Amino acid sequence: MNPSRHEICVVGGGLAGASAALAFAQAGFDTVQIAAPSRTDGRSTALIGPSIRFLERLGVLPALEGRAQPMFAMRLVDDTGRLLRAATVEFRAAEIGLPYFGLNVLNADLLETLRVQGDVYSDRLLRIDEPVVSVDLDKDHATVVTESGRSIVCRLLVGSDGRNSVVRTAMQAPVRAWSYPQVALVLNFGHQKGHDGVSTEFHTVTGPFTQVPLPGHRSSLVWVETPENADRLKALPTERLSEEVERRLHSILGAVTVEDPVQSFPLSGASVGRLAARRCALVGEAAHVFPPIGAQGLNLGLRDVEALLACAMEHRDDPGGAGMLAAYEARRRTDVATRTAAVDLLNRSLLTGFLPVQALRAVGLGTLAAVPALRHALMREGVEPGAGFAGALGRVRTLLPGQRASG
Ligand SMILES: Cc1cc2nc3c(=O)[nH]c(=O)nc-3n(C[C@H](O)[C@H](O)[C@H](O)COP(=O)(O)OP(=O)(O)OC[C@H]3O[C@@H](n4cnc5c(N)ncnc54)[C@H](O)[C@@H]3O)c2cc1C
């Protein structure tokens, strides 16, 4: 069979792959997306500023109308029961002049809207629903072969094939992977009382227990537990599990009804030594994996896709060439490394039984509760990566002797 030739080949059909395929096709690139079938994703994603603007440019935001819940406030509650407990901290978007922090949307709804919008560009977006079984790279192009033997040649191969990426293996990127003694139970539930667009995160000794609002009297839950507890909870009849969720929420939303399915995700992390080389570029979990703390993973993945597209547009004559790949690596390296380290540190600080670290965390959250300027900087950093602390540092600098802004 003769190979088919395209400018861009996207491997992977998750949210990173679907947004990459749509973004490249919309920008006029001849694109093929190859994706192995995967299980239905019951998770939700809290999309923040840059992701929302990117999805708006992709034209998917109107289709999410009524399916995305604005998050007006976030509450952190220390539910560790430890000797040194942190103060409860509440962040309100209005405090920093924003209408909301982000939009919470079910992954399945987001994936569907990305695919439907991709159909608009079917003249330059071909989809093949089967796994890639081999990848061959050379200076001018990459060749992939699918399970049924189809061969595809492209200038740029986008690895959005998740944590066990075959594209990453082919480009020989060094990977450091680790695991945590934790499992995230993920479920959605209905509740008696309204949530008022507030997300509440309870910090427990086994990890965070985070309720995130969905439209109506409905929320999603990410419940981080030990593997043994996760197995036990998952095996409970729905009624018992609903009671347990209500108890852990201290009944702030009244009676709870857990929906099917209850999914579980063992927590792990991975840091990838190279994001682009030899006609390949990695995005999403092929490029970085970390625990679901602070709603960072997909938001980072969407920033990868946006940056990759921008680099390809700047090197329109040769997408996937050495210059374009170097530009992508330079643009993404710091953001990816900083978020990976920050989320790992936060997760380990929650797990530790070491008293000085507990004390530091308690003081840290106490300071956040008491010092509005710091709280505001953290909130800005959360919704606009790079804006919060850089902005705060800028303001501090203008107050230093000899640095005062004129006028
Ligand atoms: C419990 C939990 C909660 C989370 N909550 C948030 C949140 O609130 N906010 C946030 O930003 N992030 C969150 N994340 C992270 C986010 O879900 C992930 O970053 C995101 O789903 C990763 O998407 P992806 O497309 O990179 O990978 P995946 O969803 O893993 O997709 C990989 C795709 O590649 C395909 N594939 C694999 N191998 C091949 C092959 N050989 N050939 C072809 N296709 C292949 C698979 O079938 C799949 O379609 C959370 C993660 C977890 C675990």
Side-chain angles (χ1 to χ4, degrees), residues 11-17 34-38 41 43-46 104 107 130-133 160-164 166 184 186 222 265 267 283-286 290 292 295-300:
V11 183
L15 292 168
I34 311 177
S38 47
D41 192 341
R43 292 173 292 181
S44 72
T45 296
N104 190 40
N107 287 5
E130 50 177 303
V132 163
V133 290
S160 48
D161 46 346
R163 53 185 66 204
N164 300 315
V166 293
V186 175
V222 178
F265 297 81
L267 296 199
V283 298
E285 285 204 337
F290 41 74
Q296 294 291 323
L298 180 65
N299 284 293
L300 197 63

Short mmCIF file of all heavy atoms in Angstrom, two decimals, residues 11-17 34-38 41 43-46 104 107 130-133 160-164 166 184 186 222 265 267 283-286 290 292 295-300, ligand 1:
data_model
loop_
_atom_site.label_atom_id
_atom_site.label_comp_id
_atom_site.label_asym_id
_atom_site.label_seq_id
_atom_site.Cartn_x
_atom_site.Cartn_y
_atom_site.Cartn_z
N VAL A 11 -0.79 11.92 16.74
CA VAL A 11 -1.08 10.59 17.29
C VAL A 11 -1.73 10.77 18.66
O VAL A 11 -1.13 11.38 19.56
CB VAL A 11 0.20 9.74 17.41
CG1 VAL A 11 -0.15 8.33 17.92
CG2 VAL A 11 0.91 9.64 16.07
N GLY A 12 -2.96 10.26 18.83
CA GLY A 12 -3.66 10.38 20.11
C GLY A 12 -5.02 11.02 19.94
O GLY A 12 -5.16 11.98 19.17
N GLY A 13 -6.01 10.49 20.68
CA GLY A 13 -7.37 11.00 20.54
C GLY A 13 -7.94 11.51 21.85
O GLY A 13 -9.15 11.63 22.02
N GLY A 14 -7.06 11.84 22.82
CA GLY A 14 -7.53 12.47 24.07
C GLY A 14 -7.73 13.96 23.83
O GLY A 14 -7.77 14.43 22.67
N LEU A 15 -7.83 14.71 24.91
CA LEU A 15 -8.12 16.14 24.76
C LEU A 15 -6.96 16.89 24.11
O LEU A 15 -7.18 17.82 23.33
CB LEU A 15 -8.48 16.74 26.11
CG LEU A 15 -9.82 16.23 26.65
CD1 LEU A 15 -10.01 16.61 28.11
CD2 LEU A 15 -10.99 16.77 25.80
N ALA A 16 -5.72 16.47 24.40
CA ALA A 16 -4.57 17.16 23.78
C ALA A 16 -4.56 16.87 22.28
O ALA A 16 -4.38 17.77 21.45
CB ALA A 16 -3.27 16.72 24.44
N GLY A 17 -4.76 15.60 21.91
CA GLY A 17 -4.73 15.22 20.50
C GLY A 17 -5.88 15.85 19.72
O GLY A 17 -5.68 16.36 18.62
N ILE A 34 -4.42 10.12 14.21
CA ILE A 34 -4.53 8.67 14.38
C ILE A 34 -4.71 8.38 15.86
O ILE A 34 -3.89 8.80 16.69
CB ILE A 34 -3.25 7.95 13.89
CG1 ILE A 34 -2.87 8.45 12.48
CG2 ILE A 34 -3.45 6.45 13.88
CD1 ILE A 34 -1.59 7.84 11.95
N ALA A 35 -5.79 7.69 16.22
CA ALA A 35 -6.06 7.49 17.64
C ALA A 35 -6.60 6.10 17.92
O ALA A 35 -7.53 5.64 17.25
CB ALA A 35 -7.06 8.53 18.11
N ALA A 36 -6.00 5.46 18.91
CA ALA A 36 -6.51 4.18 19.38
C ALA A 36 -7.78 4.44 20.18
O ALA A 36 -7.86 5.46 20.88
CB ALA A 36 -5.46 3.52 20.27
N PRO A 37 -8.77 3.55 20.10
CA PRO A 37 -9.99 3.75 20.91
C PRO A 37 -9.62 3.76 22.40
O PRO A 37 -8.72 3.04 22.83
CB PRO A 37 -10.84 2.51 20.59
CG PRO A 37 -10.22 1.86 19.40
CD PRO A 37 -8.80 2.31 19.33
N SER A 38 -10.28 4.62 23.18
CA SER A 38 -9.99 4.63 24.63
C SER A 38 -11.29 4.65 25.42
O SER A 38 -12.35 4.93 24.86
CB SER A 38 -9.11 5.82 25.01
OG SER A 38 -9.59 6.99 24.43
N ASP A 41 -14.14 9.00 29.35
CA ASP A 41 -13.49 9.75 30.42
C ASP A 41 -14.55 10.42 31.29
O ASP A 41 -15.26 11.31 30.84
CB ASP A 41 -12.58 10.79 29.75
CG ASP A 41 -11.62 11.44 30.73
OD1 ASP A 41 -11.88 11.37 31.94
OD2 ASP A 41 -10.63 12.02 30.27
N ARG A 43 -13.95 12.20 33.91
CA ARG A 43 -13.39 13.33 34.66
C ARG A 43 -13.93 14.66 34.14
O ARG A 43 -14.50 14.74 33.07
CB ARG A 43 -11.86 13.35 34.52
CG ARG A 43 -11.18 12.20 35.19
CD ARG A 43 -9.71 12.18 34.88
NE ARG A 43 -9.45 11.87 33.48
CZ ARG A 43 -8.23 11.77 32.95
NH1 ARG A 43 -7.16 11.99 33.69
NH2 ARG A 43 -8.06 11.46 31.68
N SER A 44 -13.69 15.69 34.92
CA SER A 44 -13.98 17.04 34.41
C SER A 44 -12.68 17.83 34.48
O SER A 44 -11.73 17.43 35.15
CB SER A 44 -15.06 17.72 35.26
OG SER A 44 -14.52 18.06 36.53
N THR A 45 -12.64 18.94 33.76
CA THR A 45 -11.46 19.80 33.78
C THR A 45 -11.89 21.21 34.12
O THR A 45 -12.84 21.73 33.54
CB THR A 45 -10.78 19.81 32.39
OG1 THR A 45 -10.31 18.49 32.12
CG2 THR A 45 -9.60 20.76 32.38
N ALA A 46 -11.15 21.81 35.05
CA ALA A 46 -11.37 23.22 35.36
C ALA A 46 -10.45 24.01 34.42
O ALA A 46 -9.25 24.05 34.62
CB ALA A 46 -11.02 23.48 36.82
N ASN A 104 -15.63 24.82 34.59
CA ASN A 104 -15.49 23.38 34.80
C ASN A 104 -16.40 22.65 33.82
O ASN A 104 -17.59 22.92 33.73
CB ASN A 104 -15.87 23.01 36.25
CG ASN A 104 -15.51 21.57 36.57
OD1 ASN A 104 -14.45 21.08 36.16
ND2 ASN A 104 -16.38 20.88 37.29
N ASN A 107 -14.93 16.17 30.69
CA ASN A 107 -13.98 15.87 29.60
C ASN A 107 -14.70 15.30 28.39
O ASN A 107 -14.35 15.60 27.25
CB ASN A 107 -12.92 14.88 30.08
CG ASN A 107 -11.92 15.53 31.02
OD1 ASN A 107 -12.07 16.69 31.40
ND2 ASN A 107 -10.89 14.80 31.39
N GLU A 130 -7.35 3.90 14.84
CA GLU A 130 -6.64 2.66 15.18
C GLU A 130 -5.27 3.02 15.75
O GLU A 130 -4.78 4.14 15.54
CB GLU A 130 -6.53 1.73 13.97
CG GLU A 130 -6.00 2.37 12.72
CD GLU A 130 -5.86 1.37 11.58
OE1 GLU A 130 -5.15 0.38 11.79
OE2 GLU A 130 -6.45 1.58 10.51
N PRO A 131 -4.64 2.10 16.47
CA PRO A 131 -3.35 2.45 17.08
C PRO A 131 -2.20 2.52 16.07
O PRO A 131 -2.23 1.85 15.05
CB PRO A 131 -3.09 1.31 18.07
CG PRO A 131 -4.20 0.35 17.93
CD PRO A 131 -5.12 0.78 16.85
N VAL A 132 -1.23 3.33 16.41
CA VAL A 132 0.04 3.36 15.68
C VAL A 132 0.89 2.23 16.26
O VAL A 132 1.01 2.10 17.48
CB VAL A 132 0.73 4.72 15.90
CG1 VAL A 132 2.21 4.67 15.53
CG2 VAL A 132 0.02 5.81 15.11
N VAL A 133 1.47 1.41 15.38
CA VAL A 133 2.28 0.30 15.91
C VAL A 133 3.78 0.49 15.65
O VAL A 133 4.60 -0.15 16.27
CB VAL A 133 1.82 -1.07 15.35
CG1 VAL A 133 0.47 -1.46 15.92
CG2 VAL A 133 1.79 -1.09 13.82
N SER A 160 0.72 13.09 20.99
CA SER A 160 -0.27 13.40 22.03
C SER A 160 -0.89 12.08 22.46
O SER A 160 -2.09 11.98 22.68
CB SER A 160 -1.34 14.37 21.50
OG SER A 160 -1.82 13.93 20.25
N ASP A 161 -0.03 11.05 22.53
CA ASP A 161 -0.50 9.70 22.79
C ASP A 161 -0.31 9.29 24.25
O ASP A 161 -0.08 8.11 24.54
CB ASP A 161 0.14 8.69 21.83
CG ASP A 161 1.64 8.88 21.66
OD1 ASP A 161 2.16 9.93 22.06
OD2 ASP A 161 2.31 7.97 21.15
N GLY A 162 -0.39 10.28 25.14
CA GLY A 162 -0.49 9.97 26.57
C GLY A 162 0.80 9.51 27.22
O GLY A 162 1.88 9.55 26.65
N ARG A 163 0.64 9.03 28.47
CA ARG A 163 1.81 8.78 29.33
C ARG A 163 2.72 7.66 28.83
O ARG A 163 3.88 7.62 29.20
CB ARG A 163 1.36 8.53 30.76
CG ARG A 163 0.33 7.46 30.92
CD ARG A 163 -0.14 7.38 32.37
NE ARG A 163 -0.86 8.58 32.79
CZ ARG A 163 -0.99 8.97 34.05
NH1 ARG A 163 -0.42 8.28 35.00
NH2 ARG A 163 -1.68 10.05 34.35
N ASN A 164 2.20 6.73 28.00
CA ASN A 164 3.08 5.67 27.47
C ASN A 164 3.35 5.90 25.99
O ASN A 164 3.36 4.96 25.18
CB ASN A 164 2.43 4.29 27.69
CG ASN A 164 2.18 4.04 29.16
OD1 ASN A 164 3.06 4.30 29.99
ND2 ASN A 164 1.00 3.57 29.51
N VAL A 166 4.23 6.25 22.26
CA VAL A 166 5.13 5.55 21.34
C VAL A 166 5.98 6.56 20.56
O VAL A 166 7.10 6.26 20.16
CB VAL A 166 4.37 4.62 20.34
CG1 VAL A 166 3.71 3.47 21.05
CG2 VAL A 166 3.36 5.39 19.51
N ALA A 184 -6.57 8.29 42.70
CA ALA A 184 -7.65 9.29 42.65
C ALA A 184 -8.94 8.59 42.25
O ALA A 184 -9.02 7.99 41.18
CB ALA A 184 -7.32 10.38 41.65
N VAL A 186 -12.58 9.17 40.96
CA VAL A 186 -13.23 10.26 40.24
C VAL A 186 -14.69 9.90 40.03
O VAL A 186 -14.99 8.81 39.54
CB VAL A 186 -12.54 10.49 38.88
CG1 VAL A 186 -13.28 11.54 38.07
CG2 VAL A 186 -11.10 10.89 39.07
N VAL A 222 -12.83 14.76 42.87
CA VAL A 222 -11.55 14.04 42.76
C VAL A 222 -11.14 13.75 44.20
O VAL A 222 -10.92 14.67 44.99
CB VAL A 222 -10.48 14.85 42.03
CG1 VAL A 222 -9.16 14.07 42.00
CG2 VAL A 222 -10.91 15.18 40.61
N PHE A 265 -7.79 6.36 39.21
CA PHE A 265 -6.55 6.67 38.49
C PHE A 265 -5.39 6.61 39.48
O PHE A 265 -5.29 7.48 40.36
CB PHE A 265 -6.62 8.09 37.89
CG PHE A 265 -7.70 8.27 36.87
CD1 PHE A 265 -9.02 8.51 37.25
CD2 PHE A 265 -7.40 8.21 35.52
CE1 PHE A 265 -10.02 8.67 36.31
CE2 PHE A 265 -8.40 8.37 34.56
CZ PHE A 265 -9.71 8.61 34.96
N LEU A 267 -1.98 7.50 40.98
CA LEU A 267 -1.27 8.76 40.75
C LEU A 267 0.20 8.54 40.45
O LEU A 267 0.87 7.76 41.12
CB LEU A 267 -1.41 9.69 41.95
CG LEU A 267 -2.82 10.16 42.26
CD1 LEU A 267 -2.79 11.39 43.14
CD2 LEU A 267 -3.61 10.46 41.01
N VAL A 283 3.10 16.76 23.26
CA VAL A 283 2.15 17.64 23.95
C VAL A 283 1.33 16.81 24.94
O VAL A 283 1.23 15.59 24.80
CB VAL A 283 1.18 18.37 22.97
CG1 VAL A 283 1.92 19.27 22.01
CG2 VAL A 283 0.33 17.36 22.19
N GLY A 284 0.74 17.48 25.93
CA GLY A 284 -0.13 16.80 26.90
C GLY A 284 0.66 15.80 27.74
O GLY A 284 1.86 15.99 28.01
N GLU A 285 0.00 14.72 28.13
CA GLU A 285 0.64 13.76 29.05
C GLU A 285 1.79 12.99 28.42
O GLU A 285 2.54 12.33 29.14
CB GLU A 285 -0.40 12.82 29.66
CG GLU A 285 -1.22 13.52 30.72
CD GLU A 285 -1.84 12.61 31.75
OE1 GLU A 285 -2.04 11.42 31.47
OE2 GLU A 285 -2.14 13.12 32.85
N ALA A 286 1.97 13.06 27.11
CA ALA A 286 3.17 12.48 26.52
C ALA A 286 4.39 13.31 26.96
O ALA A 286 5.51 12.81 26.99
CB ALA A 286 3.06 12.49 25.00
N PHE A 290 1.51 14.66 36.04
CA PHE A 290 1.57 14.89 37.49
C PHE A 290 0.20 14.69 38.14
O PHE A 290 -0.80 14.55 37.43
CB PHE A 290 2.19 16.24 37.85
CG PHE A 290 1.78 17.40 37.00
CD1 PHE A 290 0.55 17.97 37.09
CD2 PHE A 290 2.69 17.93 36.09
CE1 PHE A 290 0.21 19.05 36.32
CE2 PHE A 290 2.36 19.02 35.31
CZ PHE A 290 1.11 19.58 35.42
N PRO A 292 -3.43 15.13 40.04
CA PRO A 292 -4.49 16.10 39.77
C PRO A 292 -4.67 17.09 40.91
O PRO A 292 -5.69 17.10 41.58
CB PRO A 292 -5.73 15.23 39.58
CG PRO A 292 -5.46 14.03 40.42
CD PRO A 292 -3.98 13.82 40.41
N ALA A 295 -5.50 21.52 39.39
CA ALA A 295 -6.09 21.54 38.04
C ALA A 295 -5.11 22.07 36.99
O ALA A 295 -5.39 23.06 36.31
CB ALA A 295 -7.38 22.37 38.05
N GLN A 296 -3.96 21.41 36.85
CA GLN A 296 -2.92 21.94 35.97
C GLN A 296 -2.74 21.16 34.67
O GLN A 296 -2.39 21.72 33.64
CB GLN A 296 -1.58 21.94 36.72
CG GLN A 296 -1.52 22.90 37.88
CD GLN A 296 -1.52 24.35 37.42
OE1 GLN A 296 -0.93 24.69 36.42
NE2 GLN A 296 -2.23 25.19 38.15
N GLY A 297 -2.92 19.81 34.72
CA GLY A 297 -2.46 18.93 33.64
C GLY A 297 -2.93 19.32 32.25
O GLY A 297 -2.13 19.59 31.36
N LEU A 298 -4.25 19.34 32.04
CA LEU A 298 -4.74 19.62 30.70
C LEU A 298 -4.50 21.08 30.33
O LEU A 298 -4.23 21.40 29.17
CB LEU A 298 -6.22 19.26 30.57
CG LEU A 298 -6.74 19.54 29.16
CD1 LEU A 298 -6.07 18.63 28.14
CD2 LEU A 298 -8.23 19.39 29.10
N ASN A 299 -4.61 21.97 31.31
CA ASN A 299 -4.35 23.38 31.02
C ASN A 299 -2.94 23.56 30.46
O ASN A 299 -2.73 24.32 29.52
CB ASN A 299 -4.56 24.23 32.28
CG ASN A 299 -6.04 24.44 32.57
OD1 ASN A 299 -6.73 25.11 31.82
ND2 ASN A 299 -6.54 23.85 33.64
N LEU A 300 -1.99 22.82 31.04
CA LEU A 300 -0.62 22.86 30.53
C LEU A 300 -0.57 22.25 29.12
O LEU A 300 0.11 22.76 28.24
CB LEU A 300 0.26 22.05 31.49
CG LEU A 300 1.76 22.26 31.43
CD1 LEU A 300 2.15 23.67 31.79
CD2 LEU A 300 2.47 21.30 32.39
C1 LIG B 1 -8.16 12.38 38.37
C2 LIG B 1 -7.64 13.44 37.43
C3 LIG B 1 -8.22 14.69 37.40
C4 LIG B 1 -7.70 15.69 36.56
N1 LIG B 1 -8.24 16.96 36.59
C5 LIG B 1 -7.69 17.94 35.83
C6 LIG B 1 -8.19 19.28 35.87
O1 LIG B 1 -9.13 19.63 36.59
N2 LIG B 1 -7.58 20.22 35.09
C7 LIG B 1 -6.54 19.90 34.28
O2 LIG B 1 -6.02 20.79 33.58
N3 LIG B 1 -6.07 18.64 34.20
C8 LIG B 1 -6.61 17.65 34.95
N4 LIG B 1 -6.12 16.38 34.89
C9 LIG B 1 -5.10 16.05 33.90
C10 LIG B 1 -5.76 15.79 32.53
O3 LIG B 1 -6.87 14.94 32.68
C11 LIG B 1 -4.74 15.20 31.58
O4 LIG B 1 -3.64 16.09 31.50
C12 LIG B 1 -5.34 15.03 30.19
O5 LIG B 1 -6.52 14.29 30.20
C13 LIG B 1 -4.30 14.34 29.31
O6 LIG B 1 -4.78 14.34 28.01
P1 LIG B 1 -3.91 13.74 26.84
O7 LIG B 1 -4.72 13.90 25.60
O8 LIG B 1 -2.54 14.28 26.88
O9 LIG B 1 -3.74 12.18 27.20
P2 LIG B 1 -4.81 10.99 27.19
O10 LIG B 1 -6.17 11.47 27.60
O11 LIG B 1 -4.19 9.88 27.95
O12 LIG B 1 -4.92 10.59 25.66
C14 LIG B 1 -3.97 9.79 25.02
C15 LIG B 1 -4.59 9.29 23.73
O13 LIG B 1 -3.60 8.62 22.96
C16 LIG B 1 -4.15 7.40 22.45
N5 LIG B 1 -3.04 6.49 22.20
C17 LIG B 1 -2.18 5.94 23.10
N6 LIG B 1 -1.30 5.15 22.46
C18 LIG B 1 -1.59 5.24 21.13
C19 LIG B 1 -1.03 4.65 19.95
N7 LIG B 1 -0.01 3.80 19.99
N8 LIG B 1 -1.59 4.95 18.74
C20 LIG B 1 -2.65 5.81 18.67
N9 LIG B 1 -3.21 6.38 19.76
C21 LIG B 1 -2.69 6.09 20.95
C22 LIG B 1 -5.13 6.94 23.54
O14 LIG B 1 -6.06 6.05 23.03
C23 LIG B 1 -5.75 8.30 23.92
O15 LIG B 1 -6.76 8.63 23.00
C24 LIG B 1 -6.60 15.38 35.73
C25 LIG B 1 -6.03 14.10 35.74
C26 LIG B 1 -6.52 13.13 36.60
C27 LIG B 1 -5.86 11.77 36.65
#
